[in-house]
């Protein structure tokens, strides 16, 4: 059974940084595409960042480009999201997701492209 466990969320002041981690219990983690989404109260879940299983390609929402960095450590079955220069509008529950099949046709910004989801971790950015 696939399990994704996010950690690293919390309360931070605007301009601060957080690093989210997602520990994945996936036998094929090294060939799984990974992504981060977020959902603010009253809003739809939205794409934040994605990373191919090779690590060669990364994708970012325009709203986080230049501030957030996605990375992975296959030895630890973990994907990270380094978040810098945080803004109040970054406040949301952040979800880790995987396309554990590592499909070439994977579309990182599309929710339906992912096979499994974590439970989420809350990030709150105060003024």
């Amino acid at each position: 059974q696939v399990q994704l466990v996010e950690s690293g969320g919390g309360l931070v002041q605007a301009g601060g940084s957080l690093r989210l981690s997602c520990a994945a219990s996936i036998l094929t983690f090294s060939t799984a595409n990974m992504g981060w989404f977020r959902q603010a109260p009253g809003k739809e879940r939205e794409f934040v960042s994605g990373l191919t299983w090779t690590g060669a390609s990364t994708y970012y929402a325009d709203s986080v480009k230049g501030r957030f960095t996605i990375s992975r450590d296959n030895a630890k079955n973990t994907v990270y999201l380094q978040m810098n220069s945080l803004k109040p509008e970054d406040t949301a529950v952040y979800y880790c997701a995987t396309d554990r099949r590592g499909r070439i046709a994977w579309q990182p910004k599309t929710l339906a492209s992912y096979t499994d989801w974590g439970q989420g971790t809350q990030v709150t950015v105060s003024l």
Side-chain angles (χ1 to χ4, degrees), residues 10-102:
L11 174 64
V12 64
Q13 286 189 326
S17 298
L18 285 173
R19 188 176 82 154
L20 305 184
S21 299
C22 172
S25 62
I26 307 174
L27 291 177
T28 57
F29 180 82
S30 62
T31 57
N33 297 316
M34 301 297 296
W36 286 96
F37 286 74
R38 67 186 182 187
Q39 188 167 17
K43 294 187 177 181
E44 294 186 350
R45 193 168 297 190
E46 65 174 5
F47 169 77
V48 174
S49 184
L51 177 67
T52 55
W53 66 270
T54 63
S57 297
T58 57
Y59 306 87
Y60 296 96
D62 288 343
S63 59
V64 307
K65 208 170 288 184
R67 300 187 298 124
F68 291 10
T69 303
I70 190 171
S71 62
R72 66 190 297 157
D73 185 339
N74 288 345
K76 297 182 178 180
N77 275 28
T78 301
V79 63
Y80 303 97
L81 186 68
Q82 178 67 44
M83 306 187 296
N84 298 328
S85 302
L86 283 162
K87 304 175 181 179
E89 50 263 45
D90 294 319
T91 295
V93 177
Y94 283 70
Y95 296 91
C96 174
T98 180
D99 164 36
R100 52 186 156 86
R101 293 167 291 185

Side-chain angles (χ1 to χ4, degrees), residues 102 109 115:
K109 299 181 180 182
T115 55

